[in-house]
Amino acid sequence: MEATRQFLSPTRQAEIRPFETAERPTVGFARDYVDGLTSGFHVHPRAQLLYAVSGVMRVQTRHANFVVPPTTALYLPAHEDHSVTMDGAVAMRELFIDDEAAKRLGADPKVIAVSSLLRELIVAICNEPVEWEKSGRAHHLSELAIDEISKASPLPLALRLPEDLRVRKVVQAILSDPGNQRGLEAWCDVANASSRTLARLFRNETGLTFRQWRQQARLAEALRALMTGATPTKAAAIAGYSSVPAFGAAFREVFGMTPAQAKAHRTED
């Protein structure tokens, strides 16, 4: 990946403002970004649906990390502090959703599966002007998109971040090197806690065991690797699998696509 660079400049903020203030239930914002760009933490006054027709976005809130491949989208409520980082080239297609429509979508961030219909609705809304005709085609697109989002089942792709500083030290180290083979007991010195305490803290703070949390982080890293050119064999090794078929089964269960399909998304328009 290229060196990280910030893209949420005052100029871009001014560019986005009409999309945040339009008197429409949804408006679409379409931009393509190069590898390595990051927004830094920021908020929007409207809810968002973050989707990429190609490429992978990593989104971090104050409480969780999310990996967003092209088969999924991330719903963020209004005023949710977050940062977006591009893993590889990303073709982002984003919906800004007003407060009334957002009431139907819930108060918490969530990753949802993007059906073929929802994908086409997002792309179509992004092709409409910001102030689209209220009695025209975009009105029906908007209503159907909100309905599809509201009915989509949340996917377990949020990697919760712990509040406890002892566990946070461990997860930050794992995120910086997901392939690290150290077991729970080997992290006790980093956390300054016993293995029993560390195991309990992982469950309480993240809702997952140490092994489950690490495996989810590894699969997210494997996804990033696939979509930036790695082979399935390399990605399997990153995720800690010696068997490519076993890796493929676990990968599909989490991301809803095979490793080969993930690589194909790298070049889709």
Side-chain angles (χ1 to χ4, degrees), residues 51 84 119 132 140 143 152 203 216 255:
Y51 174 65
V84 184
R119 180 190 189 278
W132 44 259
H140 302 290
E143 282 296 307
R203 292 189 189 93
Q216 194 165 327
F255 295 113

Side-chain angles (χ1 to χ4, degrees), residues 1-3 5 7 31-38 51-58 68-70 84-93 223-229 262-269:
M1 187 193 303
E2 297 178 11
R5 305 182 303 283
F7 67 85
R31 290 294 183 275
D32 295 345
Y33 299 102
V34 299
D35 179 29
L37 289 182
T38 187
Y51 174 65
V53 295
S54 63
V56 176
M57 295 179 290
R58 288 178 183 261
V68 189
V84 184
T85 300
M86 310 304 171
D87 265 345
V90 171
M92 179 190 283
R93 303 295 181 263
L223 171 66
R224 186 206 66 79
L226 284 165
M227 300 193 72
T228 52
K263 283 182 67 66
H265 272 296
R266 179 182 177 223
T267 56
E268 285 186 359
D269 295 325

